[in-house]
Amino acid sequence: MQTATRKEMETLELLHMNKGAGETSYAMNSSVQNTIISCAEASRKKAIVQILCTSWPEKMGIAEMGCSSGPNALRVISEIVDGVYATTRLLERPPPELVVHLNDLFANDFNNIFASLPSFYRKQRQEKGTGFGPCFVSAVPGTFYGRLFPAKTLHFVHSSSSLHWLSQVPGGLEDVNGRALNKGKIYISKSSPQCVLDAYSQQFKNDFSSFLASRTHEMVTGGRMVLSFMGRTTMDPTSDHSCYQWELLARSLMTMVSQGLLEEEKVDSFDAPYYAPCMEEVKKVIENEGSFIAEEHDAYEIEWDGGMKLQSDSLSRGERVSRTLRAVLESMLESHFGSHIMDELFRRFGEHVDEHLSNTDTKYINLVVSLVKQ
């Protein structure tokens, strides 16, 4: 039985998207993640066709890992069901029973998803009629860095905007006297010492190896995975497109320190459990683990605000970016810094983003990799 460390337990308990459907909720501020999901649409469709053309399971196990909540949670599942239905019609075969598992950490807002299931089932029946076969949807809470499912029960695994979150803050970010080595920062930056960069890289390698090793037992031979997560196109982990949003958030915190609104020690003692790898790092872990073949991989540029501005939207780009990150990060930041600074922190962050984007068009990099189980 796996035993979580104290740091891992803290991450498991604190990392969750903002719940509900309010102004700062993830459900209302996840357009970036929706854009990212679109990047891997072709890869998902291809994987479904390949699974059904090389085998025809009576029961098809599907896992959505890091499902979160809000409108994106069932979007991928709907597309997968559509893909299975289209392929079965093309091949004139009866559809397999679909066993769909929605996974995220324990504090995820699963109730939000459950409330959407009746309309999901209704839509599928309306569109597919009698062609819509049995589809069983369940939630499986827990970390995907360990085992979650019985052996050889999964045919398709999908994960989007999740694997850049580490199982814990890396070790080795303090000196022998317990002093922070990454002072004034909350993630990798251009001023970070090499040991901090190495610690983050090693934690990602450990975690991604654990993810693959767990799926190795749970997936059938020939099963497929499509994984999509934040990354970078350069070997340099301090490149702007992989860490500059964290730089601006640290700058926002430090301006509050300079005005006596926050203790500097609070900033120094916070480190984000996040890492944006390059594809070379990803492929190396896959190769070393040895159970999967990376068939395809690609990188996509993503606007910080998702690139979607509604005509009725009066928010600046900085405010939209600020709301997006607040919906994702607030649970962790609030636990460490206190709820009383959240409004002011993200107001300042939005201003810093507006200033930055007025001078340069920094983008996120989203990596997509398609794997097959050997």
Side-chain angles (χ1 to χ4, degrees):
M1 182 177 178
Q2 296 168 320
T3 303
T5 67
R6 179 181 62 83
K7 284 186 175 182
E8 287 174 323
M9 288 305 298
E10 288 176 355
T11 303
L12 292 176
E13 293 168 1
L14 298 177
L15 180 57
H16 63 81
M17 309 300 103
N18 277 356
K19 300 179 180 182
E23 186 177 275
T24 62
S25 68
Y26 180 78
M28 299 298 292
N29 297 281
S30 52
S31 62
V32 172
Q33 292 83 356
N34 186 56
T35 301
I36 288 170
I37 288 172
S38 297
C39 291
E41 184 174 354
S43 297
R44 289 191 296 272
K45 288 181 178 179
K46 184 175 182 179
I48 294 300
V49 171
Q50 288 170 324
I51 291 168
L52 294 176
C53 286
T54 55
S55 66
W56 200 273
E58 291 184 8
K59 182 168 62 176
M60 185 174 177
I62 299 164
E64 173 67 11
M65 299 196 158
C67 64
S68 191
S69 59
N72 293 337
L74 291 176
R75 175 188 162 180
V76 172
I77 301 306
S78 294
E79 290 182 5
I80 292 171
V81 173
D82 290 347
V84 171
Y85 178 67
T87 305
T88 56
R89 290 196 60 174
L90 184 66
L91 299 178
E92 298 181 342
R93 300 284 298 274
E97 289 190 350
L98 301 182
V99 182
V100 179
H101 308 284
L102 301 175
N103 159 257
D104 212 309
L105 295 177
F106 300 103
N108 184 55
D109 191 0
F110 286 107
N111 284 337
N112 178 282
I113 305 174
F114 296 153
S116 302
L117 281 175
S119 60
F120 165 79
Y121 283 123
R122 187 163 51 249
K123 180 174 181 288
Q124 297 301 323
R125 285 192 292 268
Q126 288 172 349
E127 292 179 350
K128 299 173 180 61
T130 57
F132 180 58
C135 179
F136 306 98
V137 180
S138 63
V140 181
T143 174
F144 51 43
Y145 291 125
R147 287 289 302 276
L148 291 167
F149 306 102
K152 302 185 185 307
T153 56
L154 298 180
H155 297 80
F156 182 61
V157 171
H158 180 264
S159 181
S160 183
S161 298
S162 296
L163 280 162
H164 45 250
W165 293 111
L166 303 174
S167 68
Q168 64 176 57
V169 173
L173 301 184
E174 299 175 340
D175 65 16
V176 292
N177 297 314
R179 290 189 294 263
L181 295 171
N182 204 27
K183 288 181 66 63
K185 307 297 180 182
I186 58 177
Y187 180 59
I188 291 170
S189 76
K190 294 189 185 301
S191 64
S192 299
Q194 185 62 44
C195 62
V196 170
L197 277 55
D198 293 342
Y200 269 98
S201 178
Q202 188 59 52
Q203 186 65 50
F204 170 77
K205 292 172 184 175
N206 294 345
D207 284 344
F208 192 43
S209 295
S210 296
F211 176 87
L212 294 175
S214 297
R215 305 295 82 78
T216 294
H217 297 290
E218 298 165 351
M219 296 184 69
V220 300
T221 300
R224 305 269 168 172
M225 282 203 292
V226 175
L227 309 177
S228 176
F229 44 93
M230 294 297 192
R232 61 184 197 271
T233 54
T234 171
M235 295 293 287
D236 179 11
T238 70
S239 60
D240 285 354
H241 61 226
S242 66
C243 64
Y244 205 72
Q245 71 276 23
W246 296 101
E247 183 74 16
L248 295 179
L249 192 56
R251 188 179 301 173
S252 303
L253 288 164
M254 291 305 290
T255 61
M256 297 181 75
V257 169
S258 68
Q259 295 173 4
L261 302 175
L262 193 63
E263 295 178 3
E264 187 171 1
E265 184 276 331
K266 276 286 190 180
V267 179
D268 292 343
S269 60
F270 181 86
D271 297 287
Y274 173 96
Y275 186 70
C278 62
M279 190 59 78
E280 287 75 12
E281 289 175 292
V282 173
K283 290 192 292 185
K284 189 65 175 177
V285 174
I286 295 169
E287 180 183 324
N288 289 342
E289 196 280 330
S291 300
F292 295 88
I293 296 174
E295 287 195 327
E296 296 179 350
H297 58 82
D298 214 333
Y300 300 87
E301 288 189 339
I302 307 292
E303 299 280 356
W304 275 16
D305 61 354
M308 295 184 291
K309 178 178 171 61
L310 302 176
Q311 287 186 344
S312 59
D313 187 356
S314 61
L315 300 177
S316 69
R317 290 190 72 190
E319 288 171 323
R320 292 200 300 276
V321 174
S322 182
R323 285 194 180 187
T324 298
L325 261 70
R326 182 171 185 171
V328 173
L329 301 178
E330 187 165 18
S331 63
M332 286 190 299
L333 295 173
E334 186 177 89
S335 173
H336 186 83
F337 296 105
S339 60
H340 63 288
I341 73 161
M342 291 297 107
D343 288 344
E344 180 62 18
L345 171 60
F346 283 101
R347 183 191 68 79
R348 293 178 185 227
F349 175 68
E351 290 177 352
H352 285 307
V353 171
D354 271 329
E355 181 182 1
H356 174 70
L357 293 180
S358 68
N359 297 313
T360 182
D361 194 21
T362 306
K363 293 180 172 66
Y364 296 125
I365 298 296
N366 182 64
L367 304 181
V368 177
V369 58
S370 298
L371 309 177
V372 60
K373 170 72 165 58
Q374 297 190 84

